[in-house]
Amino acid sequence: MTGDPQANLSGLLRGYLDAGAPVENASAAVSSQVPAVEPEPELVVNPWDIVLCTSGTLISCENAIVVLIIFHNPSLRAPMFLLIGSLALADLLAGVGLIINFVFAYLLQSEATRLVTIGLIVASFSASVCSLLAITVDRYLSLYYALTYHSERTVTFTYVMLIMLWGTSICLGLLPILGWNCLRDESTCSVVRPLTKNNTAILSISFLFMFALMLQLYIQICKIVMRHAHQIALQHHFLATSHYVTTRKGVSTLAIILGTFAACWMPFTLYSLIADYTYPSIYTYATLLPATYNSIINPVIYAFRNQEIQKALCLICCGCIPSSLSQRTRSPSDV
């Protein structure tokens, strides 16, 4: 039985005073009996995580607009709009994943939340890249098979592509949750914990393969655009300079699309192939952040440049369609 702690402290103090001990010694003895209360550690937030969370918020808001426009407009059900909607949905989930990752990292830290968050981010970004490839394939088919493109076969093929790309992306996102992670063996970690080095290597090699395929398809698209522009110029007796301007515009558009995609994703892809968990985290943040910017740029390139989506957006915002937009016609450079 220890008795009352306050009584013990009082008895100890009284014993010191009866023995003629100085008051200072008595105070020191009392303080030595009271356990020191350590202050709680302050929550230190990484500035890079704040930037990623801010980027995720912008991604979510921007792509949510595209998803709502396509979902609420029955006229936007062509294969092209289905693929643009798939891209916007994937980027929207990626933005939500970045926000959830920030919340879980500082408020709800656990192994389960880390695995679920990284699984969502991997699945959404994989679906985003695969949707970009699917859009490239659709653009190539719309030019190469221009006469038979608007058929039931094209719609069926689009749905098959959507099922395959989302099925593959979900499987990639489930790998960390199903055990393919480095929580039990830190030596196998990649630059993005808890993904393993083998996991990131597969993702990076897959990205390089899809980028090479997109590059080849865009080269073929560029050739078709140049041929179509030349044929139109001959039919309408356009000047050579007009043909040159139209062709150059189409090539410039394709270069911007492919160059933006490569500039955003290539740094992180190459870095994750050569680096591991021992490298400073600042390099991971510096290469991962541009990859998130691709999800910010995608709606501008693929959605807001589209004439039909522009009309739907104008109807939602102001209830009318500008005359300049309604009278605009497509040219071979609109690819």
Side-chain angles (χ1 to χ4, degrees):
M1 300 294 290
T2 58
D4 186 11
Q6 185 66 34
N8 293 339
L9 292 177
S10 302
L12 179 62
L13 179 59
R14 190 164 50 250
Y16 266 85
L17 294 176
D18 293 341
V23 178
E24 292 81 357
N25 294 342
S27 301
V30 173
S31 62
S32 64
Q33 298 293 324
V34 180
V37 179
E38 297 181 358
E40 295 184 0
E42 296 182 359
L43 183 63
V44 179
V45 181
N46 190 334
W48 286 99
D49 289 331
I50 297 178
V51 176
L52 283 176
C53 183
T54 304
S55 177
T57 304
L58 182 58
I59 291 170
S60 301
C61 296
E62 192 178 12
N63 286 278
I65 296 175
V66 180
V67 172
L68 290 176
I69 290 176
I70 295 178
F71 180 78
H72 285 288
N73 284 272
S75 60
L76 303 180
R77 293 294 182 270
M80 174 180 60
F81 295 113
L82 293 177
L83 296 174
I84 293 177
S86 172
L87 175 63
L89 178 60
D91 288 334
L92 172 61
L93 293 177
V96 172
L98 292 175
I99 298 173
I100 295 177
N101 178 67
F102 180 82
V103 174
F104 284 172
Y106 293 99
L107 299 180
L108 300 173
Q109 298 182 1
S110 68
E111 290 186 359
T113 56
R114 290 177 63 187
L115 292 176
V116 171
T117 303
I118 197 65
L120 174 61
I121 293 176
V122 169
S124 55
F125 276 122
S126 298
S128 177
V129 174
C130 290
S131 295
L132 291 175
L133 176 60
I135 291 175
T136 307
V137 173
D138 179 74
R139 286 181 168 179
Y140 172 75
L141 295 178
S142 66
L143 293 174
Y144 192 80
Y145 299 102
L147 298 178
T148 59
Y149 174 74
H150 299 283
S151 62
E152 291 297 329
R153 182 186 300 179
T154 304
V155 177
T156 303
F157 180 72
T158 302
Y159 281 112
V160 171
M161 283 198 300
L162 289 173
I163 294 174
M164 290 181 61
L165 75 88
W166 278 101
T168 303
S169 302
I170 292 174
C171 291
L172 291 175
L174 287 176
L175 289 179
I177 301 175
L178 296 178
W180 205 358
N181 57 70
C182 63
L183 293 178
R184 298 292 180 265
D185 187 5
E186 188 175 346
S187 62
T188 62
C189 284
S190 65
V191 294
V192 180
R193 300 182 184 183
L195 295 180
T196 63
K197 181 69 175 176
N198 292 334
N199 198 335
T200 55
I202 291 176
L203 293 174
S204 300
I205 294 174
S206 300
F207 168 81
L208 293 176
F209 173 77
M210 286 188 289
F211 176 76
L213 185 57
M214 289 176 62
L215 179 61
Q216 179 62 29
L217 286 173
Y218 272 123
I219 291 175
Q220 299 301 321
I221 290 174
C222 184
K223 292 180 179 179
I224 296 175
V225 169
M226 294 174 64
R227 186 168 63 249
H228 284 185
H230 180 67
Q231 292 174 353
I232 293 175
L234 292 178
Q235 291 175 0
H236 294 81
H237 305 287
F238 288 164
L239 296 177
T241 55
S242 176
H243 163 63
Y244 171 75
V245 170
T246 302
T247 305
R248 186 182 63 179
K249 183 180 178 182
V251 173
S252 300
T253 302
L254 295 177
I256 292 173
I257 292 174
L258 199 60
T260 301
F261 178 67
C264 290
W265 276 105
M266 199 61 71
F268 178 73
T269 301
L270 298 178
Y271 176 73
S272 60
L273 279 176
I274 62 177
D276 55 25
Y277 73 100
T278 60
Y279 282 59
S281 60
I282 187 174
Y283 297 148
T284 303
Y285 283 111
T287 54
L288 180 60
L289 190 60
T292 64
Y293 291 160
N294 188 63
S295 297
I296 300 176
I297 301 173
N298 282 339
V300 178
I301 294 179
Y302 296 95
F304 297 136
R305 288 178 64 250
N306 184 275
Q307 184 177 350
E308 299 301 323
I309 294 180
Q310 288 177 4
K311 291 180 181 179
L313 185 60
C314 290
L315 285 174
I316 294 175
C317 295
C318 61
C320 62
I321 300 176
S323 58
S324 60
L325 185 61
S326 60
Q327 296 175 358
R328 179 189 169 193
T329 58
R330 286 182 60 88
S331 67
S333 62
D334 296 330
V335 293

PDB file of all heavy atoms in Angstrom, residues 11 13 16 19 21 30 49 51 75 81 84 118 139 149 151 165 170 177 192 198 203 214 219 268 274 333:
ATOM      1  N   GLY A  11       4.804  14.307   4.403  1.00  0.00           N
ATOM      2  CA  GLY A  11       5.644  13.671   5.413  1.00  0.00           C
ATOM      3  C   GLY A  11       7.109  13.806   5.102  1.00  0.00           C
ATOM      4  O   GLY A  11       7.936  14.012   5.988  1.00  0.00           O
ATOM      5  N   LEU A  13       8.521  16.223   3.412  1.00  0.00           N
ATOM      6  CA  LEU A  13       8.906  17.606   3.658  1.00  0.00           C
ATOM      7  C   LEU A  13       9.050  17.875   5.142  1.00  0.00           C
ATOM      8  O   LEU A  13       9.981  18.546   5.582  1.00  0.00           O
ATOM      9  CB  LEU A  13       7.861  18.543   3.042  1.00  0.00           C
ATOM     10  CG  LEU A  13       8.089  20.032   3.232  1.00  0.00           C
ATOM     11  CD1 LEU A  13       9.430  20.440   2.631  1.00  0.00           C
ATOM     12  CD2 LEU A  13       6.954  20.841   2.607  1.00  0.00           C
ATOM     13  N   TYR A  16      12.358  16.486   6.512  1.00  0.00           N
ATOM     14  CA  TYR A  16      13.500  17.338   6.200  1.00  0.00           C
ATOM     15  C   TYR A  16      13.549  18.532   7.127  1.00  0.00           C
ATOM     16  O   TYR A  16      14.615  18.935   7.588  1.00  0.00           O
ATOM     17  CB  TYR A  16      13.416  17.808   4.734  1.00  0.00           C
ATOM     18  CG  TYR A  16      14.186  16.928   3.787  1.00  0.00           C
ATOM     19  CD1 TYR A  16      13.611  15.780   3.260  1.00  0.00           C
ATOM     20  CD2 TYR A  16      15.482  17.252   3.428  1.00  0.00           C
ATOM     21  CE1 TYR A  16      14.311  14.972   2.402  1.00  0.00           C
ATOM     22  CE2 TYR A  16      16.185  16.456   2.548  1.00  0.00           C
ATOM     23  CZ  TYR A  16      15.602  15.311   2.037  1.00  0.00           C
ATOM     24  OH  TYR A  16      16.295  14.507   1.170  1.00  0.00           O
ATOM     25  N   ALA A  19      14.733  17.570  10.650  1.00  0.00           N
ATOM     26  CA  ALA A  19      16.168  17.245  10.720  1.00  0.00           C
ATOM     27  C   ALA A  19      17.022  18.473  10.551  1.00  0.00           C
ATOM     28  O   ALA A  19      18.253  18.375  10.546  1.00  0.00           O
ATOM     29  CB  ALA A  19      16.513  16.221   9.645  1.00  0.00           C
ATOM     30  N   ALA A  21      17.223  20.340   7.896  1.00  0.00           N
ATOM     31  CA  ALA A  21      17.714  20.478   6.531  1.00  0.00           C
ATOM     32  C   ALA A  21      17.251  21.797   5.966  1.00  0.00           C
ATOM     33  O   ALA A  21      16.170  22.299   6.303  1.00  0.00           O
ATOM     34  CB  ALA A  21      17.190  19.330   5.661  1.00  0.00           C
ATOM     35  N   VAL A  30      11.437  17.191  -2.889  1.00  0.00           N
ATOM     36  CA  VAL A  30      10.046  17.078  -3.321  1.00  0.00           C
ATOM     37  C   VAL A  30       9.964  17.043  -4.840  1.00  0.00           C
ATOM     38  O   VAL A  30       9.245  16.237  -5.433  1.00  0.00           O
ATOM     39  CB  VAL A  30       9.207  18.244  -2.752  1.00  0.00           C
ATOM     40  CG1 VAL A  30       7.800  18.210  -3.350  1.00  0.00           C
ATOM     41  CG2 VAL A  30       9.146  18.148  -1.248  1.00  0.00           C
ATOM     42  N   ASP A  49       4.397  18.571 -48.777  1.00  0.00           N
ATOM     43  CA  ASP A  49       3.088  17.944 -48.650  1.00  0.00           C
ATOM     44  C   ASP A  49       1.968  18.970 -48.804  1.00  0.00           C
ATOM     45  O   ASP A  49       0.899  18.658 -49.344  1.00  0.00           O
ATOM     46  CB  ASP A  49       2.972  17.241 -47.299  1.00  0.00           C
ATOM     47  CG  ASP A  49       3.830  15.991 -47.229  1.00  0.00           C
ATOM     48  OD1 ASP A  49       4.063  15.376 -48.281  1.00  0.00           O
ATOM     49  OD2 ASP A  49       4.283  15.639 -46.123  1.00  0.00           O
ATOM     50  N   VAL A  51       2.157  21.626 -50.713  1.00  0.00           N
ATOM     51  CA  VAL A  51       2.086  21.914 -52.147  1.00  0.00           C
ATOM     52  C   VAL A  51       1.341  20.800 -52.884  1.00  0.00           C
ATOM     53  O   VAL A  51       0.503  21.063 -53.763  1.00  0.00           O
ATOM     54  CB  VAL A  51       3.507  22.096 -52.724  1.00  0.00           C
ATOM     55  CG1 VAL A  51       3.447  22.290 -54.230  1.00  0.00           C
ATOM     56  CG2 VAL A  51       4.199  23.288 -52.073  1.00  0.00           C
ATOM     57  N   SER A  75     -25.983  14.621 -74.880  1.00  0.00           N
ATOM     58  CA  SER A  75     -25.415  14.728 -76.233  1.00  0.00           C
ATOM     59  C   SER A  75     -23.931  14.397 -76.265  1.00  0.00           C
ATOM     60  O   SER A  75     -23.385  14.117 -77.340  1.00  0.00           O
ATOM     61  CB  SER A  75     -25.633  16.145 -76.785  1.00  0.00           C
ATOM     62  OG  SER A  75     -24.995  17.107 -75.954  1.00  0.00           O
ATOM     63  N   PHE A  81     -15.943  11.677 -76.139  1.00  0.00           N
ATOM     64  CA  PHE A  81     -16.330  12.272 -74.866  1.00  0.00           C
ATOM     65  C   PHE A  81     -16.289  11.245 -73.740  1.00  0.00           C
ATOM     66  O   PHE A  81     -16.026  11.601 -72.585  1.00  0.00           O
ATOM     67  CB  PHE A  81     -17.722  12.890 -74.992  1.00  0.00           C
ATOM     68  CG  PHE A  81     -17.781  14.037 -75.954  1.00  0.00           C
ATOM     69  CD1 PHE A  81     -18.492  13.933 -77.133  1.00  0.00           C
ATOM     70  CD2 PHE A  81     -17.105  15.223 -75.698  1.00  0.00           C
ATOM     71  CE1 PHE A  81     -18.539  14.979 -78.039  1.00  0.00           C
ATOM     72  CE2 PHE A  81     -17.143  16.277 -76.595  1.00  0.00           C
ATOM     73  CZ  PHE A  81     -17.861  16.154 -77.770  1.00  0.00           C
ATOM     74  N   ILE A  84     -12.658  11.243 -72.793  1.00  0.00           N
ATOM     75  CA  ILE A  84     -12.322  12.473 -72.067  1.00  0.00           C
ATOM     76  C   ILE A  84     -12.907  12.425 -70.657  1.00  0.00           C
ATOM     77  O   ILE A  84     -12.267  12.851 -69.684  1.00  0.00           O
ATOM     78  CB  ILE A  84     -12.836  13.702 -72.836  1.00  0.00           C
ATOM     79  CG1 ILE A  84     -12.064  13.868 -74.144  1.00  0.00           C
ATOM     80  CG2 ILE A  84     -12.704  14.965 -71.993  1.00  0.00           C
ATOM     81  CD1 ILE A  84     -12.559  15.013 -75.015  1.00  0.00           C
ATOM     82  N   ILE A 118      -2.056   4.969 -50.986  1.00  0.00           N
ATOM     83  CA  ILE A 118      -1.126   4.764 -52.085  1.00  0.00           C
ATOM     84  C   ILE A 118      -1.773   3.920 -53.179  1.00  0.00           C
ATOM     85  O   ILE A 118      -1.507   4.105 -54.373  1.00  0.00           O
ATOM     86  CB  ILE A 118       0.185   4.098 -51.576  1.00  0.00           C
ATOM     87  CG1 ILE A 118       1.301   4.260 -52.617  1.00  0.00           C
ATOM     88  CG2 ILE A 118      -0.029   2.641 -51.259  1.00  0.00           C
ATOM     89  CD1 ILE A 118       1.721   5.675 -52.837  1.00  0.00           C
ATOM     90  N   ARG A 139      -8.120   9.070 -81.528  1.00  0.00           N
ATOM     91  CA  ARG A 139      -7.836  10.115 -82.516  1.00  0.00           C
ATOM     92  C   ARG A 139      -7.240   9.515 -83.785  1.00  0.00           C
ATOM     93  O   ARG A 139      -7.563   9.955 -84.896  1.00  0.00           O
ATOM     94  CB  ARG A 139      -6.878  11.150 -81.917  1.00  0.00           C
ATOM     95  CG  ARG A 139      -7.546  12.061 -80.906  1.00  0.00           C
ATOM     96  CD  ARG A 139      -6.596  13.075 -80.362  1.00  0.00           C
ATOM     97  NE  ARG A 139      -7.290  14.120 -79.616  1.00  0.00           N
ATOM     98  CZ  ARG A 139      -6.700  15.129 -79.009  1.00  0.00           C
ATOM     99  NH1 ARG A 139      -5.382  15.228 -79.039  1.00  0.00           N
ATOM    100  NH2 ARG A 139      -7.412  16.036 -78.368  1.00  0.00           N
ATOM    101  N   TYR A 149     -15.758   5.503 -88.860  1.00  0.00           N
ATOM    102  CA  TYR A 149     -15.487   5.766 -87.442  1.00  0.00           C
ATOM    103  C   TYR A 149     -16.777   5.851 -86.640  1.00  0.00           C
ATOM    104  O   TYR A 149     -16.877   5.303 -85.533  1.00  0.00           O
ATOM    105  CB  TYR A 149     -14.684   7.058 -87.303  1.00  0.00           C
ATOM    106  CG  TYR A 149     -14.482   7.495 -85.864  1.00  0.00           C
ATOM    107  CD1 TYR A 149     -13.597   6.839 -85.027  1.00  0.00           C
ATOM    108  CD2 TYR A 149     -15.215   8.567 -85.358  1.00  0.00           C
ATOM    109  CE1 TYR A 149     -13.419   7.234 -83.717  1.00  0.00           C
ATOM    110  CE2 TYR A 149     -15.046   8.988 -84.039  1.00  0.00           C
ATOM    111  CZ  TYR A 149     -14.153   8.312 -83.229  1.00  0.00           C
ATOM    112  OH  TYR A 149     -13.987   8.713 -81.932  1.00  0.00           O
ATOM    113  N   SER A 151     -19.564   4.435 -86.048  1.00  0.00           N
ATOM    114  CA  SER A 151     -20.340   3.208 -86.174  1.00  0.00           C
ATOM    115  C   SER A 151     -20.416   2.515 -84.811  1.00  0.00           C
ATOM    116  O   SER A 151     -19.736   2.896 -83.853  1.00  0.00           O
ATOM    117  CB  SER A 151     -19.705   2.261 -87.205  1.00  0.00           C
ATOM    118  OG  SER A 151     -18.407   1.871 -86.791  1.00  0.00           O
ATOM    119  N   LEU A 165      -8.679  -0.586 -69.453  1.00  0.00           N
ATOM    120  CA  LEU A 165      -7.782   0.363 -68.789  1.00  0.00           C
ATOM    121  C   LEU A 165      -8.142   0.536 -67.318  1.00  0.00           C
ATOM    122  O   LEU A 165      -7.245   0.638 -66.469  1.00  0.00           O
ATOM    123  CB  LEU A 165      -7.772   1.694 -69.538  1.00  0.00           C
ATOM    124  CG  LEU A 165      -8.946   2.670 -69.436  1.00  0.00           C
ATOM    125  CD1 LEU A 165      -8.786   3.606 -68.251  1.00  0.00           C
ATOM    126  CD2 LEU A 165      -9.055   3.501 -70.730  1.00  0.00           C
ATOM    127  N   ILE A 170      -7.059  -0.655 -61.630  1.00  0.00           N
ATOM    128  CA  ILE A 170      -7.515  -1.102 -60.312  1.00  0.00           C
ATOM    129  C   ILE A 170      -6.632  -2.232 -59.794  1.00  0.00           C
ATOM    130  O   ILE A 170      -6.286  -2.274 -58.610  1.00  0.00           O
ATOM    131  CB  ILE A 170      -8.988  -1.535 -60.385  1.00  0.00           C
ATOM    132  CG1 ILE A 170      -9.880  -0.311 -60.640  1.00  0.00           C
ATOM    133  CG2 ILE A 170      -9.414  -2.230 -59.101  1.00  0.00           C
ATOM    134  CD1 ILE A 170     -11.336  -0.654 -60.880  1.00  0.00           C
ATOM    135  N   ILE A 177      -2.070  -3.171 -51.375  1.00  0.00           N
ATOM    136  CA  ILE A 177      -3.002  -3.601 -50.334  1.00  0.00           C
ATOM    137  C   ILE A 177      -2.960  -5.112 -50.154  1.00  0.00           C
ATOM    138  O   ILE A 177      -3.105  -5.624 -49.031  1.00  0.00           O
ATOM    139  CB  ILE A 177      -4.428  -3.143 -50.695  1.00  0.00           C
ATOM    140  CG1 ILE A 177      -4.480  -1.615 -50.850  1.00  0.00           C
ATOM    141  CG2 ILE A 177      -5.437  -3.588 -49.648  1.00  0.00           C
ATOM    142  CD1 ILE A 177      -5.802  -1.090 -51.319  1.00  0.00           C
ATOM    143  N   VAL A 192       8.950   5.838 -53.333  1.00  0.00           N
ATOM    144  CA  VAL A 192       7.596   6.109 -52.841  1.00  0.00           C
ATOM    145  C   VAL A 192       7.206   4.979 -51.898  1.00  0.00           C
ATOM    146  O   VAL A 192       6.843   3.886 -52.336  1.00  0.00           O
ATOM    147  CB  VAL A 192       6.586   6.215 -54.004  1.00  0.00           C
ATOM    148  CG1 VAL A 192       5.180   6.502 -53.463  1.00  0.00           C
ATOM    149  CG2 VAL A 192       6.996   7.297 -54.987  1.00  0.00           C
ATOM    150  N   ASN A 198      10.436  -3.169 -57.068  1.00  0.00           N
ATOM    151  CA  ASN A 198       9.928  -3.898 -58.236  1.00  0.00           C
ATOM    152  C   ASN A 198       8.609  -3.311 -58.730  1.00  0.00           C
ATOM    153  O   ASN A 198       8.353  -3.261 -59.931  1.00  0.00           O
ATOM    154  CB  ASN A 198       9.740  -5.379 -57.889  1.00  0.00           C
ATOM    155  CG  ASN A 198      11.057  -6.086 -57.644  1.00  0.00           C
ATOM    156  OD1 ASN A 198      12.102  -5.671 -58.155  1.00  0.00           O
ATOM    157  ND2 ASN A 198      11.031  -7.150 -56.857  1.00  0.00           N
ATOM    158  N   LEU A 203       5.784  -0.075 -63.012  1.00  0.00           N
ATOM    159  CA  LEU A 203       5.010   1.108 -63.388  1.00  0.00           C
ATOM    160  C   LEU A 203       5.803   2.007 -64.335  1.00  0.00           C
ATOM    161  O   LEU A 203       5.259   2.539 -65.313  1.00  0.00           O
ATOM    162  CB  LEU A 203       4.605   1.886 -62.132  1.00  0.00           C
ATOM    163  CG  LEU A 203       3.614   1.196 -61.190  1.00  0.00           C
ATOM    164  CD1 LEU A 203       3.419   2.029 -59.923  1.00  0.00           C
ATOM    165  CD2 LEU A 203       2.276   0.965 -61.872  1.00  0.00           C
ATOM    166  N   MET A 214       2.413   6.041 -77.809  1.00  0.00           N
ATOM    167  CA  MET A 214       1.768   7.327 -78.104  1.00  0.00           C
ATOM    168  C   MET A 214       2.587   8.135 -79.111  1.00  0.00           C
ATOM    169  O   MET A 214       2.027   8.774 -80.011  1.00  0.00           O
ATOM    170  CB  MET A 214       1.584   8.125 -76.809  1.00  0.00           C
ATOM    171  CG  MET A 214       0.526   7.571 -75.877  1.00  0.00           C
ATOM    172  SD  MET A 214       0.434   8.500 -74.321  1.00  0.00           S
ATOM    173  CE  MET A 214      -0.044  10.123 -74.930  1.00  0.00           C
ATOM    174  N   ILE A 219       2.936  10.369 -84.498  1.00  0.00           N
ATOM    175  CA  ILE A 219       3.657  10.540 -85.769  1.00  0.00           C
ATOM    176  C   ILE A 219       2.755  10.169 -86.941  1.00  0.00           C
ATOM    177  O   ILE A 219       2.703  10.877 -87.960  1.00  0.00           O
ATOM    178  CB  ILE A 219       4.945   9.689 -85.765  1.00  0.00           C
ATOM    179  CG1 ILE A 219       5.958  10.261 -84.764  1.00  0.00           C
ATOM    180  CG2 ILE A 219       5.553   9.636 -87.156  1.00  0.00           C
ATOM    181  CD1 ILE A 219       7.208   9.412 -84.607  1.00  0.00           C
ATOM    182  N   PHE A 268       9.960  11.907 -63.091  1.00  0.00           N
ATOM    183  CA  PHE A 268       9.657  10.959 -62.017  1.00  0.00           C
ATOM    184  C   PHE A 268       9.849   9.522 -62.479  1.00  0.00           C
ATOM    185  O   PHE A 268      10.318   8.668 -61.706  1.00  0.00           O
ATOM    186  CB  PHE A 268       8.228  11.164 -61.522  1.00  0.00           C
ATOM    187  CG  PHE A 268       7.823  10.194 -60.452  1.00  0.00           C
ATOM    188  CD1 PHE A 268       8.320  10.319 -59.170  1.00  0.00           C
ATOM    189  CD2 PHE A 268       6.954   9.149 -60.738  1.00  0.00           C
ATOM    190  CE1 PHE A 268       7.961   9.419 -58.178  1.00  0.00           C
ATOM    191  CE2 PHE A 268       6.587   8.246 -59.753  1.00  0.00           C
ATOM    192  CZ  PHE A 268       7.089   8.384 -58.463  1.00  0.00           C
ATOM    193  N   ILE A 274      16.076   4.616 -61.134  1.00  0.00           N
ATOM    194  CA  ILE A 274      17.470   4.589 -60.711  1.00  0.00           C
ATOM    195  C   ILE A 274      17.640   4.809 -59.205  1.00  0.00           C
ATOM    196  O   ILE A 274      18.707   4.512 -58.656  1.00  0.00           O
ATOM    197  CB  ILE A 274      18.285   5.658 -61.455  1.00  0.00           C
ATOM    198  CG1 ILE A 274      17.755   7.062 -61.131  1.00  0.00           C
ATOM    199  CG2 ILE A 274      18.225   5.408 -62.950  1.00  0.00           C
ATOM    200  CD1 ILE A 274      18.548   8.181 -61.763  1.00  0.00           C
ATOM    201  N   SER A 333      -6.236  20.994 -88.428  1.00  0.00           N
ATOM    202  CA  SER A 333      -5.318  21.212 -87.318  1.00  0.00           C
ATOM    203  C   SER A 333      -5.937  20.924 -85.978  1.00  0.00           C
ATOM    204  O   SER A 333      -5.232  20.863 -84.972  1.00  0.00           O
ATOM    205  CB  SER A 333      -4.812  22.661 -87.345  1.00  0.00           C
ATOM    206  OG  SER A 333      -5.890  23.563 -87.195  1.00  0.00           O
TER     207      SER A 333
END
